[in-house]
Amino acid sequence: MGLGLRRTHAELARLGLALDDAFAIILTHLDTDHWNPGWARWLPSRTRILAHRRHVEYGTRWGALPRRAEPLDDALELPGGVTALPTLLSHDSLGVTTLRFELPGGDSLGFATDVGHVSPSLVERLAGVAVLAIESNYCPRMQAASDRPWWLKQRIMGGSGHLSNEQCADAVARIAPTRHVVLLHLSRDCNRPDVAAEHHRRAPYELTIASHEHPTPWVSLSAQSGGFQAPNSHTSSLPSPSCVSLP
Ligand SMILES: [Zn+2]
């Protein structure tokens, strides 16, 4: 939801999807690279939008979120027997929501971005997920050598900004995902896919690296064929019923 409105519609259409297909949109936080405030006016009216209560209060007060945005503080039941479990972690002033999705049959997805540092709450919440999508934002050497201003480097590396490649690898080792890791949110200026991948070279899981330019390939969340199937008829055009795309 951090992309331009027109581009988002176009990228979804390339996958045979439309925004109307989404049962709900869950926001981790309101930074503009995650939530383009233009959506406050142009989101389909039937799409639910959820975020932590702090983000909902702030976003609706300043017009960045539609008035109908709902607080997501506890477990949320989604179609198909999927449960979303949010945890608020520190990030800038309002924090960031990390999510664990539990699927019928025991498979699970962890989603963590803009978490700043590897906290015990992050590790506990996502421990042992089948698929882990996690930020691997920067290479410290590239960050230090960049011509970014000192305050920006401090904001990113100061513990409530982003995870470096090394911190991401440490988080992954402690969370111990069983099947697949998707690296998210690589900095355009201070990271490269090959540099980030180096930290996962002999790992026992599959690795996917999300790109700024291309949609992430489908990643299966279910070990069993036909395990998870979205029940909503609007999702019948999904490329595979047991997959979800991780931007
Ligand atoms: Zn971000």
Side-chain angles (χ1 to χ4, degrees), residues 29 31 33-34 91 113-114 135 137 162 185:
H29 60 310
D31 285 358
D33 57 326
H34 296 263
H91 173 73
T113 189
D114 299 52
E135 69 163 333
N137 182 251
H162 289 290
H185 213 313

Side-chain angles (χ1 to χ4, degrees), residues 65-141:
L65 285 178
R67 292 249 152 245
R68 60 194 166 84
E70 303 168 60
L72 174 65
D73 302 337
D74 301 311
L76 173 72
E77 297 301 322
L78 298 169
V82 178
T83 306
L85 300 158
T87 304
L88 188 73
L89 303 176
S90 66
H91 173 73
D92 292 338
S93 55
L94 289 178
V96 65
T97 300
T98 289
L99 291 146
R100 181 184 183 112
F101 295 89
E102 292 287 347
L103 279 69
D107 289 305
S108 49
L109 161 72
F111 191 94
T113 189
D114 299 52
V115 293
H117 66 285
V118 186
S119 64
S121 324
L122 170 73
V123 174
E124 275 165 35
R125 176 54 100 186
L126 303 185
V129 289
V131 179
L132 175 64
I134 186 166
E135 69 163 333
S136 190
N137 182 251
Y138 65 93
C139 161
R141 284 180 300 284

Side-chain angles (χ1 to χ4, degrees), residues 120-178:
S121 324
L122 170 73
V123 174
E124 275 165 35
R125 176 54 100 186
L126 303 185
V129 289
V131 179
L132 175 64
I134 186 166
E135 69 163 333
S136 190
N137 182 251
Y138 65 93
C139 161
R141 284 180 300 284
M142 293 171 76
Q143 187 77 255
S146 75
D147 54 9
R148 289 176 161 180
W150 178 85
W151 62 264
L152 181 57
K153 293 180 185 178
Q154 276 302 109
R155 181 179 166 244
I156 292 167
M157 301 196 290
S160 57
H162 289 290
L163 295 184
S164 68
N165 293 335
E166 287 81 352
Q167 290 169 321
C168 168
D170 175 43
V172 171
R174 289 159 67 181
I175 291 167
T178 57

Side-chain angles (χ1 to χ4, degrees), residues 149-234:
W150 178 85
W151 62 264
L152 181 57
K153 293 180 185 178
Q154 276 302 109
R155 181 179 166 244
I156 292 167
M157 301 196 290
S160 57
H162 289 290
L163 295 184
S164 68
N165 293 335
E166 287 81 352
Q167 290 169 321
C168 168
D170 175 43
V172 171
R174 289 159 67 181
I175 291 167
T178 57
R179 285 211 310 274
H180 204 126
V181 168
V182 183
L183 301 183
L184 308 172
H185 213 313
L186 271 69
S187 164
R188 284 179 196 268
D189 302 330
C190 300
N191 209 352
R192 288 202 320 261
D194 60 311
V195 174
E198 194 56 29
H199 294 269
H200 305 266
R201 215 162 8 131
R202 278 182 286 278
Y205 43 79
E206 274 187 79
L207 186 71
T208 295
I209 301 181
S211 150
H212 290 274
E213 279 77 34
H214 312 289
T216 308
W218 294 98
V219 174
S220 175
L221 288 182
S222 174
Q224 309 140 14
S225 60
F228 172 64
Q229 184 146 10
N232 188 332
S233 61
H234 289 279

